[in-house]
């Protein structure tokens, strides 16, 4: 058998992987409806088939027919722009196995509005697939409570109440845990989306049986019950009489409490009225002060504007003085330069003066010597003349 070339091996492998060439895949979500408890959390898993690295895909969970955005993963991170406000802060994207195409979304603080159809889709920019799954929300309510109310004509009413059920519960009365009893039932949906139950039956005063109230969650198939025993030694009339007395006493106490409360409220209202009057006076005073403050503010604004004008003028003067100062500095530098020149001339003239003084002293000295020689010659001349005069007179004689 001839060995295959690398090119033939590659073509053979790719021919067996059409999803690789076409970019196709399937999204697989929960195969069974998810049941979540009110106030709890639920996890919505989705994965790709075949396994693919989904870290660079866009992964989105949508809820309901209006496709409200529950969570989006894009650009390798949680991308929550456009997320429906009711899911803000309640979602967590689980991406531990995203390299094999398996992810999940965890939803916290489950509420009844979270019930419905969900879609998770993967977008690889070359292919797009999604999976749809159902989420049911359920909760067990409070333990039922049975109370007795008188109806007259030797009859009394048993009232069974319970709160916090979801979805809408089923209600049933039974005699001795067997026979169903006709009842009047009112089930209301509260603002939080949960249901409250009030159901009642009418019993004659001579009845001797065990009666139970059953409330059942049809989704969880769980029920709660409350029972009451109407024994032989139970005297319904006495019980009803005592119930009536207790009711009257409670009504009187409630009426007294209401009077006291109304009186207290009236006092509080009068006090509040006085406080309101004081507050109105304070408000008037504050308005007056506000008016004064506004006038002061306007005055300050005018002063500020004047100061700005003065500042502008002062700035102009400063600039002018700066120019004059620069000019003075320039003149000073010129004068300094001329002074330096005059100083040099002075030093030169002084040096020449010293030289001339030396020459003058030398001339004076030479003049004095000449004068001395002249005086000496004059003396010699006078002596010689005197001698000649003497000698001339002698010769004549």
């Amino acid at each position: 058998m001839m060995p295959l070339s690398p090119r033939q091996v590659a073509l053979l492998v790719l021919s067996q992987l059409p999803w690789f060439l076409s970019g196709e895949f399937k999204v697989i979500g929960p195969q069974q409806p998810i049941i979540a408890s009110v106030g709890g959390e639920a996890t919505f898993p989705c994965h790709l088939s075949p396994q693919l690295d989904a870290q660079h895909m866009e992964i989105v969970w949508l809820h309901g027919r209006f496709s409200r955005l529950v969570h989006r993963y894009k650009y390798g991170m949680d991308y929550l722009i456009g997320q429906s406000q009711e899911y803000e802060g309640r979602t967590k994207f689980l991406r531990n196995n995203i390299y094999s195409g398996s992810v999940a979304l965890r939803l916290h603080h489950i509420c009844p509005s979270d019930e419905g159809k969900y879609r998770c889709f993967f977008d690889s920019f070359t292919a797009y697939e999604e999976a749809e799954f159902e989420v049911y929300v359920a909760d067990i309510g409070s333990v039922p409570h049975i109370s007795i109310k008188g109806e007259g004509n030797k009859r009394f009413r048993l009232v069974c109440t319970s709160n916090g059920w979801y979805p809408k519960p089923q209600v049933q009365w039974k005699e001795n845990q067997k026979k169903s009893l006709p009842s009047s039932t009112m089930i209301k949906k509260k603002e939080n989306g949960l249901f409250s139950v009030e159901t009642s039956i009418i019993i004659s005063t001579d009845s001797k049986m065990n009666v139970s109230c059953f409330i059942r969650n049809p989704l969880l198939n769980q029920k709660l019950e409350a029972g009451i025993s109407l024994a032989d030694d139970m005297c319904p009339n006495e019980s009803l009489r005592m119930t009536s007395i207790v009711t009257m006493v409670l009504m009187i106490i409630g009426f007294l409490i209401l009077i006291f409360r109304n009186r207290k409220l009236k006092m509080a209202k009068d006090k509040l009225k006085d406080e309101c009057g004081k507050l109105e006076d304070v408000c008037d005073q504050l308005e007056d002060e506000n008016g004064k403050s506004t006038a002061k503010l306007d005055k300050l604004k005018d002063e500020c504007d004047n100061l700005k004008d003065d500042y502008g003028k002062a700035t102009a003067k400063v600039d002018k003085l700066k120019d004059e100062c620069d000019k003075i500095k320039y003149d000073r530098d010129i004068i300094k330069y001329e002074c330096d020149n005059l100083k040099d001339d002075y030093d030169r003239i002084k040096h020449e003066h010293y030289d001339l003084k030396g020459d003058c002293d030398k001339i004076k000295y030479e003049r004095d010597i000449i004068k001395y020689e002249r005086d000496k010659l004059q003396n010699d001349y006078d002596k010689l003349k005197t001698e000649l005069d003497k000698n001339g007179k002698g010769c004549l004689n």
Side-chain angles (χ1 to χ4, degrees), residues 144-148 158-161 173 211-213 226-228:
H145 173 73
I146 295 178
S147 60
I148 303 174
L158 299 180
V159 181
C160 178
T161 57
W173 287 86
V211 178
S212 298
C213 167
I228 187 170

Side-chain angles (χ1 to χ4, degrees), residues 138-395:
D139 198 20
I140 300 294
S142 60
V143 176
H145 173 73
I146 295 178
S147 60
I148 303 174
K149 296 182 179 180
E151 286 288 315
N153 297 327
K154 296 183 178 182
R155 297 186 308 171
F156 59 91
R157 182 184 296 274
L158 299 180
V159 181
C160 178
T161 57
S162 180
N163 297 306
W165 291 84
Y166 195 87
K168 186 176 180 179
Q170 298 172 346
V171 180
Q172 190 177 30
W173 287 86
K174 285 187 178 183
E175 176 187 350
N176 298 324
Q177 298 286 334
K178 295 179 180 179
K179 182 181 178 181
S180 295
L181 299 174
S183 62
S184 173
T185 301
M186 181 170 58
I187 300 176
K188 292 183 178 180
K189 191 173 186 178
K190 300 293 186 179
E191 291 182 359
N192 59 4
L194 303 179
F195 291 92
S196 65
V197 177
E198 181 177 323
T199 180
S200 63
I201 58 174
I202 296 176
I203 302 294
S204 64
T205 56
D206 57 355
S207 296
K208 299 176 181 179
M209 58 183 176
N210 295 327
V211 178
S212 298
C213 167
F214 294 90
I215 303 177
R216 176 177 173 271
N217 187 309
L219 186 61
L220 300 177
N221 196 23
Q222 296 179 14
K223 62 183 178 181
L224 297 177
E225 68 173 289
I228 187 170
S229 176
L230 306 176
D232 292 339
D233 57 350
M234 178 180 180
C235 182
N237 293 326
E238 184 66 20
S239 176
L240 289 175
R241 189 172 67 84
M242 290 301 296
T243 300
S244 300
I245 293 173
V246 171
T247 302
M248 289 181 65
V249 171
L250 291 176
M251 288 178 64
I252 293 172
I253 293 173
F255 182 71
L256 293 175
I257 292 174
L258 184 62
I259 293 175
F260 176 75
R261 187 177 180 184
N262 286 337
R263 185 178 179 183
K264 193 173 181 181
L265 287 174
K266 185 178 179 181
M267 293 175 63
K269 185 177 179 181
D270 294 338
K271 186 176 180 181
L272 185 61
K273 190 175 181 180
D274 295 338
E275 294 292 335
C276 287
K278 293 179 181 179
L279 286 175
E280 287 179 357
D281 295 336
V282 172
C283 287
D284 294 336
Q285 186 178 356
L286 288 174
E287 285 182 358
D288 294 337
E289 292 179 356
N290 185 39
K292 295 178 181 178
S293 299
T294 303
K296 289 182 179 180
L297 182 62
D298 294 336
K299 186 177 179 181
L300 288 173
K301 286 178 71 176
D302 294 336
E303 292 178 356
C304 185
D305 293 335
N306 294 331
L307 288 174
K308 284 182 178 179
D309 294 338
D310 294 341
Y311 174 77
K313 294 177 181 178
T315 302
K317 289 182 179 180
V318 168
D319 293 337
K320 185 177 180 180
L321 289 173
K322 189 176 180 182
D323 293 338
E324 292 178 355
C325 185
D326 292 338
K327 185 177 180 182
I328 291 171
K329 285 181 179 179
Y330 176 74
D331 294 339
R332 182 200 64 186
D333 292 338
I334 292 176
I335 292 171
K336 186 177 180 182
Y337 174 74
E338 292 178 350
C339 277
D340 291 338
N341 291 335
L342 290 173
K343 188 176 180 182
D344 292 339
D345 293 341
Y346 171 76
D347 292 336
R348 181 175 53 79
I349 292 171
K350 188 177 180 181
H351 180 70
E352 291 178 354
H353 170 71
Y354 288 147
D355 291 342
L356 289 173
K357 187 177 179 183
D359 293 341
C360 185
D361 291 340
K362 187 176 180 182
I363 292 170
K364 283 182 180 181
Y365 175 73
E366 291 177 353
R367 184 196 65 185
D368 292 339
I369 292 174
I370 293 170
K371 185 178 180 182
Y372 174 76
E373 292 292 338
R374 187 195 66 181
D375 292 339
K376 186 178 180 182
L377 290 172
Q378 184 69 37
N379 291 332
D380 292 340
Y381 173 75
D382 291 338
K383 288 179 179 181
L384 181 61
K385 184 178 180 182
T386 302
E387 288 179 0
L388 288 175
D389 288 342
K390 287 179 180 182
N391 291 331
K393 288 181 179 180
C395 288

